[in-house]
Amino acid sequence: MRVKKQKRHRKIVRFYTACFGFRQPYKVLCDGTFVHHLIENRITPADIALSNTLAAPVKLFATKCVIDELKRLGQSHSDALNAAHKLAVARCEHDKMKSADACLVEVIGEKNPEHFFVATQDVDLRKKFQEVPGVPLIFGLRNALLLEPPSAFQRQFVKTSEEQRSHMTKSEYKILKKKAKNILAIEEIRDSSNENEDVEDQKLEMQTEKKKHDARKGLGVKDRPQFKRKKAKGPNPLSCKKKRSHENPNMASQKESKDGNATVRSRSRKRKRSRGNKNLAVTDS
């Protein structure tokens, strides 16, 4: 049951943060009835109990009118008065002291600009704040603290505000129309200037080409270079095999080439084997 309650509270807190811009640490504005309930049910320390309820750090506030009302209640609310003195004071801009209910209504205003969570045990006061957009309510039930879900009025306010944001107002439509006209005028000016620049560039290119052509004619230079055709060449002599001679190798070995006075014989000679070993073997026997 406790897990379900925490999930419900987180969902409600997300609604107010997303739709009305509440940010951490959350500010909780307490009245005398809520402070008295915390003291009677021993829900202390109050800031830790409220931070567990909202799953975020909190800062507690009270107004001077709330503290003055607790003073007037006498000895029965002395503990609540001492606890209220420890809270931060929220500024209430009125000259004379008012009742706590009227003071809180004035501090919250029509749209709750300070983004206060209102903690109260007063049922009538909670009903009033249900008709104000962006006012989350906290109340105590015995020793538990509960966050009241958004009212039907608050949900409808969020829905209508989202629909209004999706549509343009008359002033926004006029501004947009004026900007569109300015953009179209600027684009037309750019297009016309680009066309003029293109025509001038083409004229300059034609003039430069004509000057080059006239200069070549005066010098007698041809427009296009004439390349020589490549002719077929013979085979590479280094990559060809040497021709073989058809003469008998025995006849070639006997020839001698004469060079001056010295005679140079060909390299191919017959190998002479020595038979000295065989003659020695015959004599020994």
Side-chain angles (χ1 to χ4, degrees):
M1 190 67 183
R2 187 177 179 183
V3 175
K4 288 183 180 180
K5 185 175 72 174
Q6 288 176 351
K7 285 184 178 180
R8 188 170 65 250
H9 288 171
R10 286 174 188 168
K11 189 176 180 180
I12 295 167
V13 171
R14 278 199 302 270
F15 172 80
Y16 285 105
T17 54
C19 299
F20 296 101
F22 281 71
R23 295 291 178 266
Q24 298 181 14
Y26 298 128
K27 296 187 285 186
V28 181
L29 185 61
C30 306
D31 71 343
T33 59
F34 185 76
V35 175
H36 181 70
H37 179 82
L38 293 177
I39 298 298
E40 288 291 319
N41 291 277
R42 297 178 182 177
I43 304 173
T44 53
D47 53 351
I48 293 173
L50 285 166
S51 64
N52 291 333
T53 303
L54 302 179
V58 297
K59 193 173 182 181
L60 305 183
F61 290 85
T63 62
K64 291 181 180 179
C65 297
V66 170
I67 295 169
D68 187 62
E69 189 178 62
L70 289 171
K71 283 181 183 177
R72 290 198 299 268
L73 291 173
Q75 191 65 29
S76 60
H77 289 73
S78 59
D79 294 336
L81 178 62
N82 294 331
H85 277 296
K86 296 177 182 178
L87 304 181
V89 178
R91 187 180 296 175
C92 50
E93 296 177 355
H94 46 261
D95 298 331
K96 295 180 180 180
M97 290 292 176
K98 293 185 177 181
S99 63
D101 298 352
C103 180
L104 293 180
V105 169
E106 189 174 338
V107 169
I108 296 299
E110 295 181 356
K111 293 183 179 179
N112 191 13
E114 294 294 327
H115 298 103
F116 279 119
F117 283 75
V118 177
T120 179
Q121 296 297 110
D122 192 346
V123 178
D124 296 331
L125 187 60
R126 291 211 305 265
K127 285 181 180 178
K128 284 182 183 178
F129 285 132
Q130 284 176 357
E131 301 299 321
V132 180
V135 183
L137 299 169
I138 301 171
F139 63 96
L141 187 64
R142 298 186 183 88
N143 60 351
L145 298 178
L146 300 175
L147 182 61
E148 195 168 300
S151 63
F153 173 81
Q154 291 176 345
R155 291 186 183 277
Q156 187 62 33
F157 177 82
V158 171
K159 191 175 180 180
T160 52
S161 61
E162 285 179 356
E163 288 177 356
Q164 288 175 359
R165 281 197 298 269
S166 62
H167 298 291
M168 286 191 296
T169 60
K170 289 182 179 180
S171 59
E172 288 174 347
Y173 179 75
K174 287 180 181 178
I175 293 166
L176 184 64
K177 196 173 181 180
K178 192 175 181 180
K179 284 184 178 179
K181 283 182 180 179
N182 293 333
I183 291 166
L184 288 171
I186 291 165
E187 286 180 354
E188 287 178 359
I189 293 166
R190 284 180 182 174
D191 293 338
S192 61
S193 62
N194 289 332
E195 287 177 0
N196 295 329
E197 286 177 359
D198 292 338
V199 171
E200 290 177 359
D201 291 339
Q202 287 178 0
K203 286 181 180 178
L204 287 171
E205 286 178 0
M206 291 173 69
Q207 288 176 2
T208 51
E209 286 179 359
K210 192 174 181 181
K211 286 179 181 178
K212 286 180 182 178
H213 185 68
D214 295 339
R216 284 176 180 173
K217 277 187 177 179
L219 295 170
V221 179
K222 294 181 180 180
D223 291 338
R224 294 181 181 179
Q226 294 180 354
F227 298 100
K228 293 181 180 180
R229 293 183 180 179
K230 292 184 179 180
K231 295 180 181 180
K233 295 181 180 180
N236 188 1
L238 297 174
S239 64
C240 298
K241 291 184 179 181
K242 293 182 179 180
K243 292 182 180 180
R244 293 181 180 180
S245 60
H246 297 286
E247 296 179 358
N248 194 356
N250 295 326
M251 294 293 290
S253 63
Q254 292 177 2
K255 289 182 180 180
E256 294 178 356
S257 61
K258 294 181 180 181
D259 185 12
N261 297 326
T263 60
V264 180
R265 294 184 179 181
S266 61
R267 291 181 182 178
S268 60
R269 293 181 180 179
K270 285 187 178 181
R271 184 179 176 185
K272 293 181 180 181
R273 296 180 181 178
S274 61
R275 298 179 179 178
N277 295 329
K278 290 183 180 180
N279 293 330
L280 289 170
V282 172
T283 54
D284 289 336
S285 62

